[in-house]
DNA sequence: GCCAACGTTGGC
DNA sequence: GCCAACGTTGGC
């Protein structure tokens, strides 16, 4: 199977690209996803080595802040069973966990590619992230979109 | 802090 | 299985 690509949103207050770089093994478990569509991407479609656009959300300048990769097969998200966690899900059966995650490994920081610039870029108009009303925290990225983002990262507007 | 969009819940 | 109420996301 050929390489797939994803965009994954993270609040920099929770886990920024710098936090990912500083993490043990430069890898973090992508815990806390509580949306079935986003979960299914991790559970059913991601493969180790898939490319990830690391996106900062809910912050002063939202946008792509770095590149990462899928670093594990899916496994159950431990936070669903932790009563102290904000991600605790009392309805998730121990023997049949509702929520799974993958590990994500740091590749490199990039310049910040702001959401505003992405919206203004015709070659990125097809991205799921930019669809009106889109709120998914994990979205697929086509090879063409991946290439266009990398090109734009390397060639900032003047 | 506002609010539009969207997902989930639960009564019926 | 419908759908109104409610909660969440996330840009602005």
């Amino acid at each position: 199977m050929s390489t797939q690509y994803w965009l994954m949103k993270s609040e920099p207050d929770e886990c920024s690209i710098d936090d990912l770089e500083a993490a043990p093994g430069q890898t973090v478990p992508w815990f806390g996803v509580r949306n079935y569509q986003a979960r299914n991407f991790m559970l059913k479609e991601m493969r180790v080595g898939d490319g990830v656009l690391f996106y900062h959300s809910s912050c002063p300048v939202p946008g792509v802040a770095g590149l990462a990769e899928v670093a594990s097969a899916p496994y159950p998200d431990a936070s669903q069973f932790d009563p102290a966690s904000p991600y605790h899900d009392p309805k998730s059966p121990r023997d049949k966990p509702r929520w799974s995650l993958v590990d994500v490994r740091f590749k490199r920081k990039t310049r910040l590619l702001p959401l505003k610039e992405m919206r203004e870029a015709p070659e990125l108009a097809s991205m799921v992230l930019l669809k009106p009303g889109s709120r998914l925290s994990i979205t697929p990225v086509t090879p063409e979109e991946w290439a266009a983002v990398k090109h734009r990262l390397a060639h900032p507007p003047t």
Side-chain angles (χ1 to χ4, degrees):
Chain A
M1 188 179 296
S2 57
T3 308
Q4 306 176 108
Y5 302 98
W6 308 94
L7 181 143
M8 300 176 80
K9 295 181 185 174
S10 182
E11 300 188 14
D13 286 351
E14 300 293 323
C15 180
S16 69
I17 188 71
D18 292 322
D19 296 330
L20 181 63
E21 183 174 18
Q26 301 192 318
T27 301
V28 297
W30 207 260
F31 65 91
V33 168
R34 295 295 177 268
N35 171 283
Y36 287 104
Q37 223 181 323
R39 180 207 64 176
N40 287 344
F41 288 139
M42 292 195 286
L43 186 63
K44 301 179 177 180
E45 300 196 32
M46 286 186 178
R47 299 290 179 269
V48 171
D50 282 0
V52 172
L53 300 174
F54 193 98
Y55 179 93
H56 284 176
S57 68
S58 296
C59 57
V61 185
V64 172
L67 304 180
E69 66 180 354
V70 175
S72 79
Y75 61 97
D77 179 343
S79 67
Q80 69 195 302
F81 300 122
D82 178 2
S85 169
Y87 302 112
H88 181 228
D89 182 354
K91 294 185 193 166
S92 181
R94 275 268 174 195
D95 55 346
K96 203 169 163 247
R98 256 187 209 190
W99 306 109
S100 291
L101 51 70
V102 297
D103 290 341
V104 173
R105 182 184 301 122
F106 176 83
K107 293 278 278 189
R108 63 181 177 87
K109 283 184 75 168
T110 62
R111 78 171 176 99
L112 183 68
L113 171 55
L115 176 62
K116 182 168 185 294
E117 183 184 333
M118 297 175 77
R119 286 201 187 285
E120 290 166 354
E123 75 276 17
L124 303 182
S126 60
M127 291 185 73
V128 177
L129 171 79
L130 305 179
K131 298 279 186 241
S134 171
R135 293 179 315 171
L136 263 185
S137 62
I138 300 175
T139 53
V141 172
T142 68
E144 293 76 18
E145 291 160 355
W146 175 267
V149 167
K150 289 187 76 165
H151 183 268
R152 185 161 277 273
L153 284 167
H155 303 91
T158 48

